[in-house]
Structure formats: C-alpha cells, structure tokens
Amino acid sequence: MAEIENKILVTGAFGQIGSELVPALQQKHGKDNVVAMGHRNIPSRFDGILEKADPRNISDIEKIIKDHNILTIYHLVSLLSVTGEKDPGLTWDINMNGLINILDLAVKYQNRVFWPSSIAAFGPTTPQDNTAQKTVLEPTTMYGATKVAGENLCRYYFITYGLDIRSIRYPGLISWKAEPGGGTTDYAVAIFYDGLRKGEYNCFVRKDTVLPMMYMDDAIRGTVELMDADLDVAKRREARDWDSYNLAAISFQAQELAEELKKHIPNLKVEYNPDHRQAIADSWPNSIDDSLARSEWGWKHEFDLPKMTKVMVDNLRKNSI
Ligand code: SER
C-alpha cells in the first residue's frame, strides 16, 4: 500500500529547506504520509501531521518513528554558517548529535535517509573554480566542520551498516518562502526582501564575490529525484565508496545579481560593506563540478539568473512582503 511504503519524517521541517520540501512531499505522497517535525518556530497555520521534538533526544525521535511507522527520513535540522559561529559548541551538538541519533535509529528501523551537506564543506585550500566532487575538505567554520564530519559519518554508516543514505552538497539556496536565516549565502535572499521593502540593500559581501547558488525549486526537485533514483548502491558499497553529491546551478557576482534585480526595481540602491561574513564567503568555491550527479542520476538545473530573479520578485510582490 502506498501509504505504508512512503511514510516520511522531515526534521527541521520549518527551516529554509523544510518549509518547501514538506509541501512538495505532501503533494507527491499525500498529507497523511508526511510527518513534519519542528522544535521551535512552528507556524500556527501548518496543515499536516506535526510532531514537536529535538533530534538530540533519541527516545523522542524513536517514538515518532514507531508511532508513525516511518520508512524514510529527511534529516534537515542544522544551524547554518553565520549562526554557527555565534555558538560553535551548540552547533556541533545540534548538527552532529542529532545526525548520529538519526543514523542509529535508521539502522535499527531500516529507514532510508536523506541528509544535506553544503558548499561549506569546502574551505580556502579547496580549488575554487569548478570544484571537483572529490577534493580537499578543510573548512574554517564550525558549520563546515559539521558538514565534513557528517559526510564521513554517513559514509561510515553506508559502508558498515548498509544504510541507504543519500546526500547533496547544496549551494546557496534562494527562495521567497522563508526569510533569510543565518547563512552567508543569504545576502542573495536578503537583497530581494530589502530591495522590495525599502528600495535599498546594504550588502555584507564585496560586489565581486562569486558563490555557487540555486533557486529553491531546483533544489527541491533535485532532492526528490535523488531519493527516487535507482542508484547502483551495491556497486558503491562493494567499492566502499560514498559521496554527498556536488550540485550546481548558477554562479554570479553579488553585483550581477543587483544589476539583474534593477531590471525589476529600477531605483534600487545597493551599497557594499563587507563584514566578518566576507571571510566565510571567500573560503567557499566560485563554481562547482556536479558531473557525478548529472551522470549518476540525471541532475539538471532549470533556473538561470534572470528566471530566478523574475520568479522571486513576482512571488514576493504577490505575497506583498
Ligand atoms: N547557505 C548556507 C550558508 O550560507 C551554506 O550551506 O550557511
């Protein structure tokens, strides 16, 4: 029965990715088959199955998995790069202890798992252009450290316990449904909100800063496609190999985004006053080689800079932010 086959738990359901992944999964599998788990910041108008828990508390998560007969887990809970530097100890605690609890439970209950990594797994010693899938991973943020450690943990569980865990290294994600939430790439979201609300934006990175970015619809579609993909897991396991897939779409300078946005807001004023976040941006690549995702499961992005900018402006205006 489809209901039993696809019972899904999404942790971090009301964060940047979860806010858009949950409705997409509800649409695909039905509202009765998606359990949205939040901790704080649960919107009062959420329409669906809701659980409130902290992933660091393993017995609460185990109860949710058993109560709802969960088969697939999207474990999205994470503090991002800028928030992470404010309390590195808490970031390690939430990002890593939450993940290891989910992995242990997934082994016990034979769940499939999705876990997000990030371009933050890279660092200043990583080659910055067309960054390869397998490359130097020496991040300089706590968030990045948890992403590298998380990738290693996922590989270990895949090889040692045969866990079907899949992962993407997301670039900066741009969406209109959730306000910017503590990331370095969030300048590319904040510029839309401030641009439309105030007609001006004070950008915290230099105008020539280039980072890999993606419109959220592409990221959500890619995530669902990866989980649906018929991957040759057996071959990978035999080779004792596992990857969090590099995923790319668009790379642009901050000033190129501003110029594109000016086509919709002609009087937009943008100032560039780089702060401590510039060092984080500088430590990440300019562009990503995602040929493994393209060849292994057919990844292809749809939104370029003009299309993304237009859809952001149209939706934000429609929702009169
Ligand atoms: N968007 C994230 C951040 O800037 C990167 O994964 O922290």
Side-chain angles (χ1 to χ4, degrees), residues 16 79-83 117-121 141 143 147 169-173 181-187 211-213 280 284:
Q16 190 191 24
L79 296 188
L80 292 182
S81 59
V82 178
T83 320
S117 187
S118 158
I119 52 165
T141 60
Y143 174 61
K147 289 305 182 190
R169 287 180 186 145
Y170 291 113
L173 298 177
T184 306
T185 58
D186 282 349
Y187 90 80
L211 286 166
M213 300 277 185
I280 301 179
W284 293 347

Side-chain angles (χ1 to χ4, degrees), residues 234-296:
K235 190 171 139 204
R236 280 281 185 134
R237 208 166 274 139
E238 207 179 283
R240 299 174 72 74
D241 189 23
W242 179 91
D243 281 296
S244 176
Y245 291 93
N246 279 4
L247 217 63
I250 33 180
S251 283
F252 48 77
Q253 292 187 3
Q255 63 185 349
E256 289 175 299
L257 173 60
E259 287 312 312
E260 190 61 38
L261 189 51
K262 278 183 194 165
K263 294 180 186 163
H264 302 268
I265 314 171
N267 295 327
L268 175 70
K269 285 198 181 56
V270 181
E271 269 191 41
Y272 298 89
N273 291 302
D275 64 13
H276 60 284
R277 291 168 281 193
Q278 184 68 50
I280 301 179
D282 286 344
S283 76
W284 293 347
N286 301 327
S287 60
I288 300 288
D289 174 359
D290 62 355
S291 47
L292 189 70
R294 289 182 190 253
S295 67
E296 279 202 3

Side-chain angles (χ1 to χ4, degrees), residues 132-203:
Q133 177 69 48
K134 292 193 191 287
T135 184
V136 183
L137 300 177
E138 295 178 339
T140 47
T141 60
M142 178 51 94
Y143 174 61
T146 67
K147 289 305 182 190
V148 175
E151 287 190 17
N152 286 330
L153 212 49
C154 291
R155 182 178 300 103
Y156 180 80
Y157 276 69
F158 174 76
I159 292 169
T160 309
Y161 302 113
L163 189 68
D164 183 357
I165 171 138
R166 302 181 182 196
S167 177
I168 285 172
R169 287 180 186 145
Y170 291 113
L173 298 177
I174 302 176
S175 82
W176 55 272
K177 283 192 190 152
E179 296 229 13
T184 306
T185 58
D186 282 349
Y187 90 80
V189 182
I191 193 171
F192 286 94
Y193 278 87
D194 281 14
L196 287 165
R197 279 180 183 146
K198 304 190 269 185
E200 57 185 38
Y201 180 58
N202 184 9
C203 186

Side-chain angles (χ1 to χ4, degrees), residues 48 50 60 65 109-110 133 170 193 204 233 276 296 317:
L50 179 66
D60 286 358
I65 291 174
Y109 293 97
Q110 298 186 311
Q133 177 69 48
Y170 291 113
Y193 278 87
F204 59 77
V233 172
H276 60 284
E296 279 202 3
R317 282 202 170 123

